[in-house]
CSV table of all heavy atoms in Angstrom, one decimal:
chain,number,residue,atom,x,y,z
A,1,MET,N,-30.3,-2.5,39.2
A,1,MET,CA,-30.1,-1.1,39.4
A,1,MET,C,-28.9,-1.0,40.4
A,1,MET,O,-28.1,-0.1,40.1
A,1,MET,CB,-31.3,-0.5,39.9
A,1,MET,CG,-31.2,1.1,40.1
A,1,MET,SD,-32.3,1.9,39.2
A,1,MET,CE,-33.1,2.8,40.5
A,7,PHE,N,-20.8,-1.0,39.2
A,7,PHE,CA,-19.9,-1.1,38.1
A,7,PHE,C,-19.5,0.2,37.6
A,7,PHE,O,-18.3,0.4,37.2
A,7,PHE,CB,-20.5,-2.0,36.9
A,7,PHE,CG,-20.5,-3.5,37.1
A,7,PHE,CD1,-21.7,-4.0,37.3
A,7,PHE,CD2,-19.3,-4.1,37.3
A,7,PHE,CE1,-21.7,-5.5,37.5
A,7,PHE,CE2,-19.4,-5.5,37.5
A,7,PHE,CZ,-20.6,-6.2,37.6
A,11,ARG,N,-15.3,1.2,37.5
A,11,ARG,CA,-14.8,1.3,36.2
A,11,ARG,C,-13.4,2.2,36.4
A,11,ARG,O,-13.3,3.1,37.2
A,11,ARG,CB,-15.7,2.1,35.3
A,11,ARG,CG,-15.8,1.5,33.9
A,11,ARG,CD,-16.9,2.2,33.2
A,11,ARG,NE,-16.5,3.4,32.8
A,11,ARG,CZ,-17.3,4.4,32.3
A,11,ARG,NH1,-18.5,4.2,32.3
A,11,ARG,NH2,-16.9,5.6,31.9
A,23,ASN,N,5.8,11.7,10.3
A,23,ASN,CA,6.8,12.0,9.4
A,23,ASN,C,6.6,11.3,8.1
A,23,ASN,O,5.6,10.7,7.9
A,23,ASN,CB,8.2,11.5,10.0
A,23,ASN,CG,8.5,12.3,11.3
A,23,ASN,OD1,8.4,13.5,11.4
A,23,ASN,ND2,9.1,11.5,12.3
A,24,THR,N,7.5,11.4,7.1
A,24,THR,CA,7.4,10.6,6.0
A,24,THR,C,8.7,9.8,5.7
A,24,THR,O,9.7,10.0,6.3
A,24,THR,CB,7.3,11.6,4.7
A,24,THR,OG1,8.4,12.4,4.6
A,24,THR,CG2,6.1,12.4,4.8
A,27,ILE,N,10.0,5.1,0.3
A,27,ILE,CA,10.1,3.7,0.0
A,27,ILE,C,10.0,3.5,-1.5
A,27,ILE,O,8.9,3.7,-2.1
A,27,ILE,CB,8.9,2.9,0.7
A,27,ILE,CG1,9.0,3.1,2.2
A,27,ILE,CG2,9.0,1.5,0.3
A,27,ILE,CD1,7.9,2.4,3.0
A,29,ALA,N,9.8,4.6,-5.0
A,29,ALA,CA,9.5,5.9,-5.7
A,29,ALA,C,8.5,6.6,-4.9
A,29,ALA,O,8.1,7.7,-5.2
A,29,ALA,CB,9.0,5.6,-7.1
A,31,SER,N,6.5,8.3,-1.3
A,31,SER,CA,6.8,8.8,0.0
A,31,SER,C,5.6,8.5,0.8
A,31,SER,O,4.4,8.8,0.5
A,31,SER,CB,6.9,10.4,-0.2
A,31,SER,OG,7.1,11.0,1.0
A,50,ARG,N,-0.5,-0.2,7.8
A,50,ARG,CA,-2.0,-0.2,8.0
A,50,ARG,C,-2.6,-0.3,6.6
A,50,ARG,O,-2.0,-0.2,5.6
A,50,ARG,CB,-2.3,1.1,8.6
A,50,ARG,CG,-1.9,1.2,10.0
A,50,ARG,CD,-2.4,2.5,10.8
A,50,ARG,NE,-3.1,3.5,10.0
A,50,ARG,CZ,-3.5,4.6,10.6
A,50,ARG,NH1,-3.4,4.9,11.8
A,50,ARG,NH2,-4.2,5.5,9.9
A,53,GLY,N,-2.4,2.5,4.0
A,53,GLY,CA,-0.9,2.7,3.5
A,53,GLY,C,0.0,3.6,4.4
A,53,GLY,O,1.0,4.1,3.9
A,62,ARG,N,10.9,3.7,26.9
A,62,ARG,CA,12.2,4.4,27.0
A,62,ARG,C,12.9,4.6,25.6
A,62,ARG,O,14.1,5.0,25.5
A,62,ARG,CB,13.2,3.6,27.9
A,62,ARG,CG,12.6,3.5,29.3
A,62,ARG,CD,13.6,2.8,30.1
A,62,ARG,NE,13.1,2.5,31.4
A,62,ARG,CZ,13.5,3.2,32.5
A,62,ARG,NH1,14.5,4.1,32.4
A,62,ARG,NH2,12.9,2.9,33.7
A,74,ARG,N,15.8,0.8,8.4
A,74,ARG,CA,16.5,-0.6,8.3
A,74,ARG,C,15.6,-1.6,7.8
A,74,ARG,O,16.1,-2.6,7.2
A,74,ARG,CB,17.0,-1.0,9.7
A,74,ARG,CG,18.2,-0.4,10.2
A,74,ARG,CD,18.9,-1.0,11.3
A,74,ARG,NE,17.9,-1.4,12.4
A,74,ARG,CZ,17.7,-0.7,13.5
A,74,ARG,NH1,18.3,0.5,13.6
A,74,ARG,NH2,16.8,-1.1,14.3
A,78,TRP,N,11.4,-5.0,4.0
A,78,TRP,CA,10.1,-5.6,4.6
A,78,TRP,C,8.8,-4.9,4.2
A,78,TRP,O,7.8,-5.4,3.9
A,78,TRP,CB,10.2,-5.8,6.1
A,78,TRP,CG,9.1,-6.5,6.6
A,78,TRP,CD1,8.8,-7.9,6.7
A,78,TRP,CD2,8.0,-5.8,7.3
A,78,TRP,NE1,7.6,-8.0,7.3
A,78,TRP,CE2,7.0,-6.9,7.7
A,78,TRP,CE3,7.6,-4.5,7.5
A,78,TRP,CZ2,5.8,-6.6,8.4
A,78,TRP,CZ3,6.5,-4.2,8.2
A,78,TRP,CH2,5.6,-5.3,8.6
A,79,LEU,N,9.0,-3.6,4.3
A,79,LEU,CA,7.8,-2.7,4.0
A,79,LEU,C,7.4,-2.7,2.5
A,79,LEU,O,6.3,-2.7,2.1
A,79,LEU,CB,8.2,-1.2,4.4
A,79,LEU,CG,8.0,-0.9,5.9
A,79,LEU,CD1,8.5,0.4,6.1
A,79,LEU,CD2,6.7,-1.0,6.3
A,83,PHE,N,3.9,-3.7,1.1
A,83,PHE,CA,3.2,-3.0,0.0
A,83,PHE,C,2.6,-3.8,-1.1
A,83,PHE,O,1.5,-3.7,-1.6
A,83,PHE,CB,3.9,-1.8,-0.4
A,83,PHE,CG,3.7,-0.5,0.4
A,83,PHE,CD1,4.7,-0.1,1.2
A,83,PHE,CD2,2.5,0.1,0.5
A,83,PHE,CE1,4.6,1.0,2.0
A,83,PHE,CE2,2.4,1.3,1.1
A,83,PHE,CZ,3.5,1.8,2.0
A,86,LEU,N,-0.2,-5.8,0.1
A,86,LEU,CA,-1.4,-5.0,0.2
A,86,LEU,C,-2.0,-4.7,-1.3
A,86,LEU,O,-3.3,-4.7,-1.4
A,86,LEU,CB,-1.1,-3.7,0.9
A,86,LEU,CG,-2.2,-2.7,1.2
A,86,LEU,CD1,-3.1,-3.4,2.2
A,86,LEU,CD2,-1.7,-1.4,1.7
Side-chain angles (χ1 to χ4, degrees):
M1 181 124 119
F7 285 117
R11 227 172 73 197
N23 295 320
T24 57
I27 299 178
S31 181
R50 296 183 354 180
R62 296 181 186 253
R74 284 193 312 264
W78 180 83
L79 283 170
F83 270 112
L86 186 64

